[in-house]
C-alpha cells in the first residue's frame, strides 16, 4: 500500500468521524441562577395587578428573561438581583447551583425542573414584599430540550438519559443527562454554572451526544 493510498484512507476515516460528531452535536447553554414565579407571588413581591416586564427572549419558545429581580435568602446569607424568568407558572421554583446553596446555607435536592415536592425552602424578597417559600428550591438536573424531530434524529426518547462530551480546554463527559422532548422545545442542553466552570465553558459551545450513561 503506497503513501497516497494510506493518506486517502486516513482522510476518509477522519471525515467520517467528523460527520458523526456533527450529527450528534448539541448546543449547550449555561443556565445561571433564576426564579420562576406564580402570579400570586408576583403580586406579593411586586404589588397588586403587577405583570412581569419582558426583557429578552430565551432560546426556548415563549420563555423570556424579565426585567424584575428578587433576593434569595437562606440561613447563612442572601443573593441579590436574581433574575425572574417568565411567563408565570402554577408554582414558584428557584433554581440555584450547589455553590449558591452553600453560600446562603440551604440544601436543595437535585431535581428535574417542575419536581419541587419536598424540596428546599428559602425567603424571596421583592420591592413590595417577601415570601417564605416552604418548598421550591432545587439544583436543576442537567438536561437537553429537544423537539419531536430532534428526538427522532438523535434516536432518543423523552425521559431517557445520555452522555454528553464537551471538548473544551477542560474536557468533561457529563453522564445522566436527561432528555426532555416536546413540540414546544428547541434543541439545547442546559447546565448550571458549577458544571460550566468544571468544563471551562464560555460563549458558544457544543457537545457530542452519546447513547448510554455508564461511567465505567
Amino acid at each position: 500500500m503506497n503513501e497516497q493510498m494510506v493518506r486517502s484512507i486516513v482522510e476518509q476515516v477522519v471525515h467520517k468521524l467528523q460527520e458523526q460528531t456533527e450529527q450528534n452535536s448539541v448546543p449547550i447553554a449555561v443556565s445561571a441562577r433564576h426564579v420562576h414565579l406564580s402570579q400570586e407571588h408576583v403580586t406579593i413581591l411586586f404589588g397588586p395587578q403587577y405583570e412581569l416586564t419582558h426583557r429578552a427572549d430565551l432560546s426556548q419558545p415563549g420563555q423570556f428573561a424579565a426585567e424584575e429581580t428578587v433576593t434569595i435568602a437562606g440561613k447563612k446569607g442572601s443573593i441579590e438581583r436574581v433574575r425572574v424568568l417568565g411567563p408565570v407558572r402554577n408554582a414558584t421554583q428557584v433554581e440555584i447551583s450547589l455553590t449558591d446553596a452553600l453560600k446562603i446555607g440551604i440544601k436543595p435536592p437535585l431535581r428535574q425542573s417542575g419536581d419541587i415536592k419536598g424540596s428546599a425552602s428559602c425567603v424571596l424578597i421583592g420591592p413590595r414584599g417577601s415570601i417564605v417559600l416552604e418548598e421550591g428550591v432545587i439544583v436543576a438536573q442537567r438536561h437537553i430540550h429537544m423537539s419531536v424531530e430532534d428526538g427522532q434524529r438523535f434516536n432518543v426518547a423523552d425521559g431517557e438519559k445520555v452522555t454528553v462530551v464537551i471538548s473544551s480546554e477542560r474536557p468533561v463527559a457529563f453522564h445522566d443527562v436527561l432528555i426532555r422532548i416536546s413540540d414546544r422545545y428547541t434543541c439545547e442542553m442546559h447546565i448550571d454554572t458549577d458544571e460550566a466552570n468544571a468544563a471551562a465553558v464560555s460563549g458558544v459551545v457544543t457537545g457530542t451526544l452519546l447513547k448510554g450513561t455508564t461511567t465505567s
Side-chain angles (χ1 to χ4, degrees), residues 135-168:
E135 62 180 16
V137 187
I138 65 169
V139 174
Q141 181 178 0
R142 50 183 173 255
H143 57 278
I144 305 175
H145 290 285
M146 288 188 182
S147 67
V148 175
E149 292 76 13
D150 291 325
Q152 294 171 346
R153 177 165 60 92
F154 286 103
N155 191 29
V156 293
D158 185 53
E160 184 176 346
K161 292 182 179 179
V162 299
T163 293
V164 175
V165 177
I166 299 178
S167 299
S168 61

Side-chain angles (χ1 to χ4, degrees), residues 10 24 49 147 149 179 194 209:
V10 170
N24 292 331
Q49 299 181 332
S147 67
E149 292 76 13
I179 299 295
D194 285 350
L209 186 151

